[in-house]
């Protein structure tokens, strides 16, 4: 194991990597029930989507661990599943089978982009200041997810967001968990994040927050398996309006899946890699192309199994913060996704209020990359600020990267420094402007 994953070279141990993998899984286990709920709105079978979620997450995460040898986990992406159900199916009128076909096409397109090296070229073109901003932005984003999941922050018709009701048992449990996790981290307890999640889950039982009800799941994936191919493709091509209308509609939907997934994945890899100290002096992540290939293959496989786009998960930062540095972390998480098929009630027992403190703490840890941004240099600081702020405020890694890439050439050209702009940045900036103007959200 040491030879394969190079544990000593990365100054880590099997115990550290396994704990990191468990932490990542527990932190993102909510997707096992949330993803089926979202896709069921589009008319898909809940239990079949649950199976597809577990298997596709395991496939992507195991490829990430065994092939790319990086500590990142994958699963059907939040936001992308909502876009799939509420925009593509319920608003644009696609059948869910046709939507799966569109996801499958985007997966094949990802594979092509990765084989040609274009996706890695995009990563290299992103300025270092934006790469550091992506890490900090993910910190704000993941902390916001934690505050939201805990109920500490709730929506408000007057101010968009406000403080939640601290008299509610759910919010109180999250606060207790946050205090426990903060104490463990302050005392530098190994596995502090995971231990905090476990203790908070147990405290939630007498409080009535942790659900100990045993819910049976049907292990039948056939209602969604292969439906992307048949009738998915025929549904996709038989939409009314003529060839041009159908082709343009398919192009818009596929492009939407491609752009969001590509930049969500790139952002997570760069941001979390920066936090783990994995980036080299040029801001490049080792085995980046292999990591992108894992994402591409998992997306195509997930569509065939019956779920929306699979992407690299921002919650991987929880495992990295526990010391995960190699593919063994991802392998551990991937195995747990497979076991979750048979132990679903245990996997889903952990309430969001128990994992929320870990996400908030990870957000704090991720913010350390902000110190590498020169805020005294306005043409660097403005795009960087927009990257991290838009990422958190619009609930989208892709939106944040887009904002940074749009404003970076603007500020550099205004400062008379066109040579500092990679030619590909102009192209990406135009793509994001067109995305904002024409693509559905």
């Amino acid at each position: 194991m040491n030879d394969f994953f190079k544990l000593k070279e990365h100054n880590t141990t099997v115990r550290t990597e396994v704990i990191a993998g468990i932490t990542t899984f527990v932190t993102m286990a909510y997707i096992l029930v949330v993803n089926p709920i979202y896709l069921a709105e589009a008319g898909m079978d809940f239990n079949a989507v649950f199976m597809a979620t577990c298997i596709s997450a395991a496939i992507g995460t195991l490829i990430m661990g065994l092939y790319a040898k990086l500590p990142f986990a994958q699963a059907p992406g939040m936001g992308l599943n909502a876009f799939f159900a509420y925009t593509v199916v319920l608003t644009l009128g696609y059948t869910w089978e046709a939507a799966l076909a569109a996801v499958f096409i985007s997966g094949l397109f990802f594979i092509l982009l990765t084989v040609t090296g274009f996706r890695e070229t995009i990563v290299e073109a992103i300025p270092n200041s934006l790469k550091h901003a992506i890490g900090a932005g993910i910190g704000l984003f993941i902390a916001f997810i934690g505050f939201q999941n805990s109920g500490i922050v709730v929506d408000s018709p007057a101010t968009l967001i406000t403080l939640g009701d601290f008299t509610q048992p759910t919010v109180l449990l999250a606060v207790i968990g946050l205090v426990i996790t903060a104490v463990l981290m302050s005392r530098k307890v190994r596995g502090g994040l995971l231990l905090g999640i476990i203790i908070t889950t147990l405290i939630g039982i007498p409080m009535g927050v942790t659900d100990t009800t045993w819910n049976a799941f049907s292990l039948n994936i056939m209602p969604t398996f292969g439906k992307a191919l048949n009738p998915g493709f025929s549904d996709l091509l038989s939409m009314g309006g003529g060839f041009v209308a159908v082709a343009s509609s398919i192009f818009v939907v596929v492009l939407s899946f491609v752009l969001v997934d590509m930049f969500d994945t790139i952002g997570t890899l760069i941001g979390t890699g920066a936090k783990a100290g994995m980036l080299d002096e040029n801001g490049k992540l080792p085995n980046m192309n292999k990591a992108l290939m894992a994402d591409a293959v998992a997306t195509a496989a997930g569509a065939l199994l019956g779920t929306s786009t699979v992407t690299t998960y921002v919650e991987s930062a929880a495992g990295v913060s526990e010391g995960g540095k190699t593919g063994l972390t991802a392998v551990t998480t991937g195995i747990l996704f497979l076991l979750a098929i048979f132990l679903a009630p245990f996997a889903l027992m952990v309430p969001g209020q128990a994992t929320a403190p870990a996400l908030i703490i990870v957000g704090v840890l991720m913010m350390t990359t902000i110190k590498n941004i020169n805020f005294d240099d306005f043409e660097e600081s403005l795009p960087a600020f927009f990257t991290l702020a838009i990422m958190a405020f619009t609930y989208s890694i892709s939106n944040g990267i887009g904002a940074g890439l749009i404003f970076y050439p603007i500020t550099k050209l205004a400062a008379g420094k066109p040579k500092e702009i990679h030619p590909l940045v102009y192209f990406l900036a135009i793509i994001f402007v067109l995305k904002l103007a024409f693509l559905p959200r």
Side-chain angles (χ1 to χ4, degrees), residues 312-352:
T312 304
Y313 249 62
V314 70
E315 282 84 356
S316 301
V320 170
S321 296
E322 283 286 18
K325 297 179 181 178
T326 75
L328 182 55
T329 293
V331 169
T332 302
T333 305
I335 291 172
L336 290 173
F337 271 119
L338 288 177
L339 292 177
I341 296 173
F342 309 101
L343 302 174
F346 292 110
L348 301 177
M349 185 182 295
V350 180

Side-chain angles (χ1 to χ4, degrees), residues 4 18 85 126 134 137 149 153 163 174 183 217 238 280 294 341 385 411:
F4 186 80
V18 170
I126 297 175
I134 290 169
N149 289 350
V153 171
L163 277 178
V183 170
F217 280 85
S238 63
D280 60 22
I341 296 173
F385 174 78
T411 56

Side-chain angles (χ1 to χ4, degrees), residues 356-373:
L359 294 177
I360 295 169
I361 297 296
V362 169
V364 175
L365 301 176
M366 291 291 293
M367 286 297 294
T368 57
T369 61
I370 201 170
K371 66 176 183 268
N372 298 313
I373 302 171

Side-chain angles (χ1 to χ4, degrees), residues 123-375:
V123 175
E124 294 173 357
I126 297 175
N128 282 335
S129 60
L130 295 190
K131 289 178 180 176
H132 295 307
I134 290 169
I138 288 176
L140 284 176
F141 180 36
I142 201 169
F144 182 63
I145 293 173
F147 283 124
Q148 186 183 51
N149 289 350
S150 66
I152 293 175
V153 171
V154 296
D155 63 327
S156 166
T159 60
L160 293 183
I161 57 174
T162 188
L163 277 178
D165 184 357
F166 284 76
T167 64
Q168 294 295 318
T170 51
V171 181
L172 184 59
L173 177 63
V175 173
I176 292 172
L178 185 57
V179 172
I180 291 171
T181 308
V183 170
L184 292 172
M185 295 295 291
S186 297
R187 296 187 64 83
K188 296 179 173 57
V189 176
R190 296 298 299 271
L193 289 175
L194 178 59
L195 191 56
I197 293 171
I198 294 172
I199 294 173
T200 307
T201 299
L202 294 175
I203 293 174
I205 295 176
M207 294 179 66
V209 178
T210 300
D211 184 7
T212 57
T213 304
W214 187 276
N215 296 311
F217 280 85
S218 170
L219 303 181
N220 182 15
I221 197 173
M222 296 314 295
T224 60
F225 183 76
K227 295 300 188 290
L229 301 180
N230 183 29
F233 273 99
S234 59
D235 284 357
L236 198 62
L237 296 174
S238 63
M239 296 180 65
F243 175 78
V244 174
V246 171
S248 60
S249 179
I250 294 173
F251 175 78
V252 167
V253 170
V254 171
L255 184 61
S256 297
F257 281 127
V258 167
L259 287 178
V260 176
D261 183 30
M262 179 163 63
F263 285 97
D264 272 8
T265 297
I266 288 173
T268 300
L269 292 174
I270 291 174
T272 308
K275 168 59 188 171
M278 296 178 181
L279 304 187
D280 60 22
E281 63 277 6
N282 297 315
K284 187 176 179 181
L285 181 72
N287 292 337
M288 171 67 87
N289 213 46
K290 291 182 177 180
L292 296 173
M293 180 59 76
D295 176 88
V297 172
T299 292
L304 293 177
L305 291 166
T307 186
S308 53
T309 306
V310 176
T311 188
T312 304
Y313 249 62
V314 70
E315 282 84 356
S316 301
V320 170
S321 296
E322 283 286 18
K325 297 179 181 178
T326 75
L328 182 55
T329 293
V331 169
T332 302
T333 305
I335 291 172
L336 290 173
F337 271 119
L338 288 177
L339 292 177
I341 296 173
F342 309 101
L343 302 174
F346 292 110
L348 301 177
M349 185 182 295
V350 180
Q353 291 76 18
T355 58
L359 294 177
I360 295 169
I361 297 296
V362 169
V364 175
L365 301 176
M366 291 291 293
M367 286 297 294
T368 57
T369 61
I370 201 170
K371 66 176 183 268
N372 298 313
I373 302 171
N374 182 11
F375 280 97

Side-chain angles (χ1 to χ4, degrees), residues 37-88:
I37 288 174
Y38 273 39
L39 299 194
E41 292 289 321
M44 300 179 68
D45 182 85
F46 181 95
N47 290 331
V49 175
F50 172 83
M51 287 282 291
T53 302
C54 291
I55 297 172
S56 63
I59 290 172
T61 305
L62 288 173
I63 294 175
M64 183 71 76
L66 297 172
Y67 178 58
K69 298 182 181 178
L70 292 170
F72 306 112
Q74 296 194 323
M78 288 296 295
L80 285 160
N81 52 13
F83 177 76
F84 178 102
Y86 296 108
T87 300
V88 179

